[in-house]
Amino acid sequence: MRTAFVETLVELAQKDPRIVLLTGDLGFMALEPFAETFPQRFFNVGVAEQNMIGLATGLAEAGFIPYVYSIVPFAVLRPYEFIRNGPIHHQFPVRIVGVGGGVEYGHQGVSHYALEDIGVLRTQSGVTIIAPADANQAVTAIRKTWNLPGPVFYRLSKNTRTFIPGLEGRFEIGKLQMVCDGHDLLFITTGTIASEVVSAMALLREQDVSCAMAVLASINPAPVGCLIDLLKRFPIVITVETHYITGGIGSLVAEILAEHGIACRIVRCGVKQNVGGITGSQSYLESFYGLSAKTLVDTALLSLRESTGI
Amino acid sequence: MSEHSQHSVSAIDIRKIILEQSNRAQVGHIGSALSVADIIAALYGNILRIKNPFDSCRDRFVLSKGHAALALYAALYLKGWIEEEQLNQYCGNGTLLGTHPEHAVQGIDFSSGSLGMGLSIGAGAALAARLQNSSRRVFVLLSDAECNEGSTWESIMFAAHHRLSNLVAIVDLNGQQALGYTDQVLSLTPLAEKWRVFNWDVHEIDGHEIMAISKIVNQLNTTDGMPHVLLARTTFGKGVSFMENEIKWHYLPMTDDEYKQALKENGVA
């Protein structure tokens, strides 16, 4: 997905000289196409993420569209107050590009995980939050949002292999994307963990469970209207995200269910416990935290049993 | 507005407005604003090249020590960019003039209030000017306590590395911070050497000598070389004897008697 991001950014930058790219000394084997095509518009600012956001704020006031790049916690959490007081408060077109949603940086440890970024940014109504499920959707999302007047956070995966069949690269700001329809239960997911949901649904189909699946990539603005219409049709919704269960899309869906009095049970799948020091690959850790296809199947079957009393 | 139609910006008028407005609104930060009154007068009277607040080629100014906003509002009023009616609603409910500046106010380029952010924004603004081949300059006014912030030093390194000679930092060295004297809280000494070894062009000046400040700034090479810093020695609460170098005037509003005394010392009957 980062390769797709950089290729798309090069394409946009060829059309618009206002685009500049700043990195906090990360992006090896990723940012080179931009750096080589536009050496005058590429700045490695060093390991100084607070300064990077401040620089982007000053650049944006003068008419630039600065993209700032780092691994999610360093792009969002370290300079959070700079983001709040700078691009968000001034409503400047700064693009915060965070790589590595969830536990993608597996062996690198907790310092590199992104488990609360959506939660903290979602409290700010003045920032667009986009978490694509695969590279094709990322490309569409970047092309459709590069010129927004206010700030945008892109939660990107470094994994370029994920492909969600049926998504077909669709993205629209403030909308959900349905991947497939069904009637027993609804999955709503975000980011590349969507591929586990796809696998889980195939296993559930073998057990005659009919599932619908929606990708929630436009987290802010949230697709409130789409969600209301969709949630009314299902007895159970299972949200799946590589994020702490508090503050992410599970919370978002729960807010909508409660505020609109929709009779649909929600089961939130995400990281439920404080992450300790356990290391492992991305897939190991996603499984460890209950987000593998197999665990999602178990969760879905248990939820159905509980709901029907069988 | 009419009495200031010539747009003269004097430190005397700035101080008078600081006293009047902070007394009327019964708010603090008086000492901090008085500390920079002369620097603000030099900037808005002699230094900043701003035809109007909307001109994209204007010099940019970041009041990084946002708690001195009232001194800035006074200058903007004296320039004719904010109305007397607006100034007289300082700290009023539903207005934009709080004790820290808001960019929605005409003439204010960036909001501030959280310390240690302004120099990074200024460095970005200076980089933007260079990329746009503009001769505009960027001025950032910091407090000495902002040099406690690690982020300030991130920006100091960046500006020097990229030789942002169009960036001028001014540090209001009044020697005080919220809870004490800087030497006792977190010593900055030797501050000039610190900036110097970070490859800045350092000038140690008297922050109350308006003509000297203006002269030095107007002699800086802002097209090539190192970024510049003026380490401006100032007196906290300057111009009001009972406020000078007193920590409590970071916070307190004035009583009626104190207000009368302060006005008297500033030539207002």
Side-chain angles (χ1 to χ4, degrees):
Chain A
M1 200 182 280
R2 350 174 237 194
T3 311
F5 154 70
V6 176
E7 285 168 2
T8 309
L9 192 63
V10 168
E11 175 192 302
L12 292 169
Q14 269 155 352
K15 291 184 212 156
D16 195 323
R18 295 176 299 166
I19 290 174
V20 294
L21 176 60
L22 283 63
T23 175
D25 203 30
L26 287 170
F28 179 65
M29 302 263 294
L31 301 184
E32 291 82 354
F34 189 99
E36 287 161 13
T37 313
F38 305 105
Q40 307 300 319
R41 290 154 67 183
F42 173 75
F43 300 92
N44 181 354
V45 307
V47 190
E49 296 82 5
Q50 297 173 96
N51 185 49
M52 179 161 70
I53 298 293
L55 292 170
T57 304
L59 284 160
E61 190 274 339
F64 287 96
I65 303 177
Y67 284 70
V68 302
Y69 178 97
S70 193
I71 297 175
V72 174
F74 318 139
V76 173
L77 301 180
R78 180 64 165 264
Y80 184 68
E81 192 197 5
F82 280 67
I83 295 170
R84 169 186 180 269
N85 293 7
I88 294 178
H89 182 62
H90 293 78
Q91 282 298 292
F92 285 155
V94 172
R95 314 302 182 215
I96 298 154
V97 181
V99 176
V103 291
E104 279 192 13
Y105 279 90
H107 293 291
Q108 310 263 11
V110 63
S111 60
H112 287 53
Y113 299 164
L115 296 169
E116 60 285 88
D117 51 306
I118 293 172
V120 296
L121 276 178
R122 206 166 70 78
T123 61
Q124 305 283 338
S125 60
V127 60
T128 299
I129 304 172
I130 295 170
D134 67 12
N136 293 342
Q137 187 179 42
V139 170
T140 309
I142 292 161
R143 284 187 183 146
K144 284 195 174 183
T145 54
W146 71 279
N147 203 18
L148 288 178
V152 182
F153 167 55
Y154 299 100
R155 187 194 215 225
L156 300 186
S157 164
K158 66 188 171 76
N159 175 4
T160 51
R161 286 162 297 181
T162 304
F163 172 73
I164 306 302
L167 184 56
E168 293 160 350
R170 285 173 294 137
F171 174 84
E172 203 171 335
I173 197 93
K175 302 283 186 194
L176 273 178
Q177 283 76 48
M178 291 302 296
V179 172
C180 67
D181 210 348
H183 51 77
D184 291 326
L185 61 82
L186 167 66
F187 280 107
I188 298 178
T189 186
T190 193
T192 54
I193 198 69
S195 62
E196 291 298 314
V197 178
V198 170
S199 303
M201 287 200 309
L203 295 169
L204 286 164
R205 205 155 34 236
E206 290 170 8
Q207 302 192 44
D208 291 329
V209 179
S210 165
C211 305
M213 173 180 171
V215 166
L216 204 177
S218 172
I219 293 170
N220 196 26
V224 178
C226 297
L227 282 168
I228 293 170
D229 292 344
L230 190 59
L231 290 164
K232 282 178 177 169
R233 291 176 39 212
F234 291 90
I236 299 172
V237 57
I238 301 178
T239 57
V240 183
E241 58 192 319
T242 46
H243 189 277
Y244 283 131
I245 54 164
T246 301
I249 64 162
S251 291
L252 192 162
V253 171
E255 289 161 16
I256 289 170
L257 287 171
E259 282 190 334
H260 295 272
I262 300 168
C264 170
R265 182 189 166 198
I266 181 168
V267 178
R268 292 177 298 158
C269 296
V271 178
K272 295 184 174 70
Q273 71 267 48
N274 182 40
V275 171
I278 299 288
T279 192
S281 66
Q282 178 186 347
S283 61
Y284 171 83
L285 290 170
E286 286 174 354
S287 176
F288 182 82
Y289 292 114
L291 296 166
S292 67
K294 186 181 171 303
T295 316
L296 293 176
V297 168
D298 294 344
T299 303
L301 293 175
L302 178 65
S303 305
L304 283 166
R305 275 201 301 277
E306 287 171 349
S307 295
T308 57
I310 300 168
Chain B
M1 186 63 62
S2 56
E3 66 180 292
H4 299 297
S5 57
Q6 74 282 21
H7 299 334
S8 67
V9 180
S10 78
I12 292 169
D13 287 338
I14 290 175
R15 286 205 164 81
K16 183 172 154 247
I17 291 168
I18 291 168
L19 294 170
E20 284 171 353
Q21 292 299 329
S22 51
N23 180 63
R24 189 193 48 71
Q26 280 297 293
V27 294
H29 289 311
I30 306 168
S32 305
L34 292 171
S35 175
V36 298
D38 299 296
I39 295 169
I40 292 285
L43 284 166
Y44 281 87
N46 306 325
I47 294 170
L48 291 169
R49 298 171 190 153
I50 305 176
K51 269 186 262 173
N52 67 67
F54 307 108
D55 176 16
S56 60
C57 296
R58 71 190 186 281
D59 284 347
R60 300 296 197 271
F61 175 58
V62 186
L63 182 65
S64 192
K65 53 168 291 180
H67 52 288
L70 185 50
L72 175 58
Y73 300 153
L76 296 180
Y77 163 68
L78 295 169
K79 291 294 284 187
W81 294 333
I82 64 176
E83 300 289 333
E84 187 166 12
E85 188 186 359
Q86 190 178 10
L87 182 66
N88 285 333
Q89 290 173 343
Y90 172 61
C91 287
N93 292 335
T95 71
L96 287 169
L97 297 191
T99 58
H100 297 89
E102 273 299 322
H103 69 284
V105 174
Q106 183 169 290
I108 293 178
D109 296 325
F110 299 97
S111 299
S112 59
S114 178
L115 301 178
M117 293 191 180
L119 194 57
S120 66
I121 293 172
L127 182 63
R130 174 184 290 175
L131 291 171
Q132 292 168 333
N133 292 316
S134 167
S135 60
R136 67 178 185 266
R137 306 162 304 172
V138 180
F139 295 84
V140 182
L141 179 53
L142 302 100
S143 68
D144 38 11
E146 285 196 83
C147 297
N148 293 175
E149 295 274 10
S151 55
T152 296
W153 295 93
E154 292 181 7
S155 308
I156 288 170
M157 278 189 282
F158 180 89
H161 181 84
H162 290 273
R163 295 177 67 81
L164 296 176
S165 57
N166 56 348
L167 178 63
V168 182
I170 305 172
V171 184
D172 172 30
L173 281 180
N174 61 30
Q176 281 185 223
Q177 53 197 102
L179 291 186
Y181 297 97
T182 53
D183 277 350
Q184 291 161 7
V185 176
L186 191 61
S187 176
L188 300 167
T189 307
L191 191 59
E193 283 178 44
K194 288 189 171 91
W195 285 80
R196 210 169 274 130
V197 299
F198 276 74
N199 290 324
W200 280 60
D201 170 40
V202 181
H203 299 264
E204 296 184 78
I205 63 167
D206 181 333
H208 298 302
E209 287 292 331
I210 295 172
M211 293 318 293
I213 297 168
S214 310
K215 191 177 168 194
I216 285 174
V217 171
N218 290 327
Q219 286 173 347
L220 297 175
N221 180 351
T222 55
T223 57
D224 187 38
M226 294 186 277
H228 312 279
V229 60
L230 311 185
L231 299 178
R233 289 264 166 224
T234 58
T235 300
F236 181 87
K238 175 75 175 180
V240 178
S241 57
F242 59 87
M243 289 189 192
E244 290 188 0
N245 301 317
E246 287 289 333
I247 298 292
K248 67 178 182 179
W249 291 103
H250 187 86
Y251 300 98
L252 297 181
M254 292 173 281
T255 63
D256 285 347
D257 287 345
E258 286 163 344
Y259 178 53
K260 281 179 197 153
Q261 173 71 19
L263 282 183
K264 195 173 161 194
E265 291 184 19
N266 280 273
V268 184

